[in-house]
Amino acid sequence: MPHKVAVLPGDGIGPEVIDEAVKVLRASGGAFEFEYALLGGAAYDETGHPLPAATLDLCKASDAILMGAVGGPKWDRIEPVTLRPEIGALLPLRRELNLYANLRPAKTLRALVHASPLKEGRNMMDLVVVRELTGGIYFGQPRHRAADGSSAVDSCVYHRYEVERIAERAFAIAKARGHKLVSVDKANVLETSRLWREVVDEVAAKNPGVSTSHMLVDNCAMQLIRDPGQFDVILTENMFGDILSDEASMITGSLGLLPSASLSDAKGDAVFGLYEPVHGSAPDIAGQGRANPLAAILSAAMMMRYSFGDGETADRVEAAVEAALSEGLRTADIFEKDTRLVSTSEMGDAVVAKMV
Ligand code: IPM
Ligand code: MG
């Protein structure tokens, strides 16, 4: 049976980078059935809604989703806000598909080590942010604005089961990596964080092989700059994970290279998930062949590993990416002296050529 993949290119550079990811998957030797659907601004322009029912239905009928990016200045002012790509497509997609476990690995690559804003020698990092993705302040009710506009409310709500399932996922990941987990919260202020800490401690007690600690989010933001190498798995709630994963990605110096997975519950060996680059839709460079497709390609590798249980293909794709970089090939975002500038599709071709 071929793997059924819903492909949602989205907006801006989304379609260009997704083309390359699909190219690499086709070349990997696996059997796939790709079906495309509209999402984000592109869907809004075509159908009046950024997440059309047909797109959601296709996602539900697929084994995994490969997504580009959504949004852009063209759709930033749509009213009501619930029709904007971020709030109207991304958040409901995560919620409807129960994609509560967001994995954002951030690793400094030898070939790009000097691109990090941190001093060389102090910037080696290999961590994964495990971000809770369907709860917290992003989804809490009530959310409203007073009729006279004088105040506004967003609510942060966490249920015990939500913390438990993301913690269990994070501990499983820690066991497959460096056996070290830092849970990040703001327990000195927030009640949701105190619940978070309590539940994480319970899950930690069942995982004695993982060294576990708690860190306040402000300290974590600082520690990431001071000594990013100290982290293995960072487990955190939705909004803190949003912020810390951007920070971690910057430290690698190569945002265009970072993939992500948003996973639901496991069904046997298979996990339903959505895979997308961490970078956005970069409308300023869209359509010029300048986008870096490596984050999308590495997201496809994560799909092989997590949704299709094919770590071997994932390893091959990841090795091919590193090989293309070691050879000095660079898209514009990571170009520097003594390297060779290539276009989006040339980079995709190079990765395919390096796959053995
Ligand atoms: C991300 C993005 C989204 C988020 C936005 C676009 C809603 O920043 O995936 O990190 O905050 O989750
Ligand atoms: Mg973000």
Side-chain angles (χ1 to χ4, degrees), residues 19-267:
D19 275 353
E20 302 313 309
V22 169
K23 187 192 276 179
V24 169
L25 284 176
R26 284 192 199 283
S28 74
F32 300 96
E33 197 180 299
F34 297 107
E35 212 170 315
Y36 286 70
L38 291 166
L39 185 76
Y44 177 82
D45 288 349
E46 190 90 4
T47 70
H49 199 284
L51 178 59
T55 300
L56 194 56
D57 289 346
L58 172 70
C59 291
K60 286 180 177 163
S62 300
D63 302 321
I65 304 165
L66 184 62
M67 193 188 116
V70 297
K74 185 173 171 203
W75 305 285
D76 276 350
R77 288 170 189 281
I78 295 174
E79 293 288 349
V81 294
T82 49
L83 288 180
R84 292 183 195 168
E86 293 84 356
I87 299 181
L90 219 47
L91 299 190
L93 197 58
R94 290 171 180 173
R95 184 81 168 189
E96 287 281 325
L97 301 174
N98 198 29
L99 303 170
Y100 60 86
N102 184 213
L103 278 44
R104 298 188 165 182
K107 183 176 170 184
T108 326
L109 295 177
R110 293 232 163 260
L112 297 170
V113 66
H114 39 275
S116 167
L118 296 191
K119 282 199 198 88
E120 235 175 294
R122 301 178 69 170
N123 57 8
M124 289 314 286
M125 168 175 86
D126 183 358
L127 60 79
V128 56
V129 176
V130 178
R131 169 190 179 194
E132 199 292 323
L133 200 61
T134 54
I137 202 163
Y138 275 56
F139 295 95
Q141 297 298 331
R143 181 200 303 285
H144 65 81
R145 177 88 62 106
D148 66 359
S150 63
S151 66
V153 177
D154 290 292
S155 308
C156 186
V157 180
Y158 264 111
H159 297 277
R160 181 169 270 277
Y161 79 91
E162 294 175 304
V163 185
E164 206 169 308
R165 64 184 181 178
I166 189 74
E168 277 164 3
R169 190 63 70 90
F171 275 94
I173 290 166
K175 280 184 186 159
R177 291 179 45 109
H179 300 265
K180 198 171 154 199
L181 183 147
V182 176
S183 174
V184 174
D185 61 38
K186 189 71 185 175
N188 53 349
V189 177
L190 303 175
E191 199 54 45
T192 43
S193 282
R194 286 188 286 273
L195 173 67
W196 182 277
R197 215 172 250 228
E198 217 174 280
V199 177
V200 170
D201 277 337
E202 288 167 16
V203 179
K206 291 188 265 175
N207 291 279
V210 176
S211 113
T212 308
S213 58
H214 299 279
M215 198 179 268
L216 296 173
V217 62
D218 48 350
N219 184 29
C220 182
M222 184 268 276
Q223 293 295 336
L224 271 171
I225 301 289
R226 195 184 69 83
D227 175 20
Q230 71 183 283
F231 295 102
D232 176 25
V233 174
I234 294 179
L235 162 63
T236 191
E237 61 100 71
N238 204 342
M239 188 157 75
F240 298 158
D242 177 44
I243 298 165
L244 294 175
S245 62
D246 261 29
E247 184 183 351
S249 71
M250 187 64 212
I251 294 168
T252 68
S254 46
L255 180 60
L257 262 79
L258 298 181
S260 76
S262 303
L263 308 178
S264 183
D265 286 322
K267 290 188 205 115

Side-chain angles (χ1 to χ4, degrees), residues 201-353:
D201 277 337
E202 288 167 16
V203 179
K206 291 188 265 175
N207 291 279
V210 176
S211 113
T212 308
S213 58
H214 299 279
M215 198 179 268
L216 296 173
V217 62
D218 48 350
N219 184 29
C220 182
M222 184 268 276
Q223 293 295 336
L224 271 171
I225 301 289
R226 195 184 69 83
D227 175 20
Q230 71 183 283
F231 295 102
D232 176 25
V233 174
I234 294 179
L235 162 63
T236 191
E237 61 100 71
N238 204 342
M239 188 157 75
F240 298 158
D242 177 44
I243 298 165
L244 294 175
S245 62
D246 261 29
E247 184 183 351
S249 71
M250 187 64 212
I251 294 168
T252 68
S254 46
L255 180 60
L257 262 79
L258 298 181
S260 76
S262 303
L263 308 178
S264 183
D265 286 322
K267 290 188 205 115
D269 277 349
V271 184
F272 180 74
L274 178 150
Y275 301 85
E276 59 173 323
V278 166
H279 64 69
S281 59
D284 51 319
I285 59 161
Q288 302 170 24
R290 289 171 59 198
N292 187 339
L294 295 180
I297 290 170
L298 291 169
S299 301
M302 286 186 92
M303 175 160 96
M304 296 310 297
R305 176 170 291 123
Y306 290 104
S307 282
F308 303 140
D310 186 354
E312 188 260 333
T313 299
D315 289 345
R316 266 165 60 221
V317 173
E318 287 164 2
V321 166
E322 294 219 23
L325 288 170
S326 313
E327 201 154 271
L329 301 187
R330 300 284 189 273
T331 41
D333 57 316
I334 51 175
F335 177 73
E336 61 195 318
K337 207 165 126 301
D338 300 326
T339 62
R340 187 151 77 80
L341 183 64
V342 294
S343 70
T344 308
S345 67
E346 284 168 337
M347 186 60 109
D349 291 342
V351 173
V352 168

